[in-house]
Amino acid sequence: MMLSTRRAPWLLLIVLLALAPGCGPSPGGGGDGDGDGDGDGDGDQPDARPGPDEFADARPTQRCDKMDLVFVIDDSGSMVEEQENLGTNFPAFISVLEAFDSGDLDYRVAVTTSGRDLDYYIDQPPLPPPFSIDPPPVAMSEEGDDGAFRQGCGMNKRWMERADGNVATTFPCVAEVGTGGPSIEMALHAMELGFTARVADSTNAGFLRDDALLGLVIISDEDDCSRTDNNFTVESDSCNPEWPGMPTIGHFTSFLDDLKGERGRWATAVIAGPGPGDCSSSFGDALEARRLRQFATETGTNAVFSSICDGDLAGALEQALETFQAACDNFPPVE
């Protein structure tokens, strides 16, 4: 299904062809025609969808005319190529967003990263004979955005919006977040931090609107290893979803339900490693993102999971907008 702007369903194809000629394999190049590259024909949609009776509020819906979009982008050392490809495709994303609802959509776009301030230890294996000693763990201290929205590239606030008039050029600049962030990706906790009182009422103040659809786009080549503690010890700085002490996925979906009042007022698009196992593309390798896929699955109807290993993120961004537009069409009214 091509992305619909409701008035011009062909717009994205034209814009993408104009902006990104020859930029790698097409989004549907996985061999099964579904665009996810895993051969299962399911388009990497979440595995379970809630029925209409699973939403607590059965009131009639109304169509929203506002969207608050937050991109949580992995800024660890392996994300150079992915960020460059995002920059190539963001102008098309904004063009379709501006055409939605005949150009009347009131949108905001903010960017943060997957890292937080973090202190931890990496265990070292014992030295072999004749040494036979256990070296002490290596202390690590890293700094992240803690969910704060990025401001730069001439921005006068911490988000971009239609009235700015230059979103298509500012967005790629801001979204190039670099690769110097924490090695342990915590996309879900970083998102949560951005909407908690400490950050939302100060750094990110004024962004979130009650009557706007909240759309989250999470982009990472590793899984989510969100933790709220510090000074823990792990075997390496590569995310392991089996680590103890991580909040459940249900914790984050419930947080967003409470934040927006109900499930129908927020949506998510996850772009990560689809599994099973790791995957490779022109971007490099991506680890299977089991927790992030579970987050999309547990979100339900207002979610889509796309593969970061398709070799071009145009299709994934297209799926994100399709999901957000469908959610906007069924937005529960705010009283």
Side-chain angles (χ1 to χ4, degrees), residues 102-149:
S102 298
D104 293 331
L105 181 68
D106 178 3
Y107 68 83
R108 294 176 174 179
V109 183
V111 174
T112 190
T113 62
S114 59
R116 71 170 179 91
D117 292 346
L118 185 62
D119 296 311
Y120 64 101
Y121 296 90
I122 296 179
D123 216 355
Q124 297 189 79
L127 295 178
F131 304 101
S132 299
I133 58 173
D134 292 328
V138 177
M140 304 291 292
S141 183
E142 300 178 315
E143 294 184 354
D145 283 334
D146 288 336
F149 298 156

Side-chain angles (χ1 to χ4, degrees), residues 14-307:
I14 294 175
V15 177
L16 288 177
L17 289 174
L19 289 176
C23 58
S26 68
D32 59 9
D34 65 7
D36 64 359
D38 61 7
D40 62 7
D42 66 0
D44 255 343
Q45 301 295 321
D47 301 322
R49 301 289 193 184
D53 295 334
E54 292 186 46
F55 289 108
D57 193 342
R59 293 172 296 165
T61 58
Q62 67 182 19
R63 192 147 178 279
C64 72
D65 57 6
K66 298 177 182 177
M67 286 189 196
D68 296 335
L69 305 181
V70 177
F71 280 72
V72 183
I73 301 175
D74 183 350
D75 63 340
S76 64
S78 56
M79 285 289 292
V80 174
E81 295 88 354
E82 291 90 338
Q83 290 180 27
E84 291 176 351
N85 193 261
L86 282 171
T88 299
N89 288 295
F90 274 154
F93 180 94
I94 295 300
S95 294
V96 177
L97 190 64
E98 292 198 339
F100 180 62
D101 197 22
S102 298
D104 293 331
L105 181 68
D106 178 3
Y107 68 83
R108 294 176 174 179
V109 183
V111 174
T112 190
T113 62
S114 59
R116 71 170 179 91
D117 292 346
L118 185 62
D119 296 311
Y120 64 101
Y121 296 90
I122 296 179
D123 216 355
Q124 297 189 79
L127 295 178
F131 304 101
S132 299
I133 58 173
D134 292 328
V138 177
M140 304 291 292
S141 183
E142 300 178 315
E143 294 184 354
D145 283 334
D146 288 336
F149 298 156
R150 293 233 165 174
Q151 183 175 357
C153 305
M155 296 168 59
N156 58 13
K157 54 186 178 304
R158 288 186 178 267
W159 64 85
M160 298 151 280
E161 57 190 45
R162 176 189 290 277
D164 294 339
N166 59 350
V167 181
T169 54
T170 306
F171 195 3
C173 177
V174 178
E176 195 169 336
V177 296
T179 56
S183 301
I184 300 178
E185 291 83 348
M186 302 190 184
L188 294 177
H189 186 47
M191 172 277 299
E192 182 181 25
L193 287 173
F195 293 123
T196 53
R198 182 176 67 85
V199 178
D201 294 345
S202 56
T203 308
N204 297 344
F207 172 78
L208 197 65
R209 298 171 290 184
D210 292 340
D211 57 347
L213 176 80
L214 172 60
L216 303 171
V217 182
I218 298 173
I219 304 169
S220 179
D221 64 356
E222 292 198 38
D223 204 355
D224 172 74
C225 273
S226 292
R227 299 182 66 141
T228 59
D229 56 340
N230 271 301
N231 299 313
F232 53 84
T233 301
V234 290
E235 69 278 4
S236 75
D237 60 359
S238 181
C239 174
N240 182 349
E242 301 299 324
W243 285 338
M246 291 188 287
T248 65
I249 297 301
H251 165 84
F252 297 108
T253 56
S254 295
F255 170 82
L256 289 164
D257 289 345
D258 292 341
L259 180 71
K260 291 299 296 179
E262 59 181 273
R263 182 67 56 91
R265 296 194 187 121
W266 64 274
T268 190
V270 177
I271 305 172
D278 303 342
C279 64
S280 298
S281 73
S282 58
F283 299 150
D285 298 333
L287 303 183
E288 179 180 358
R290 285 181 286 167
R291 277 174 57 87
L292 289 177
R293 187 174 185 112
Q294 184 185 354
F295 176 67
T297 298
E298 292 192 13
T299 297
T301 303
N302 287 359
V304 64
F305 187 105
S306 302
S307 173

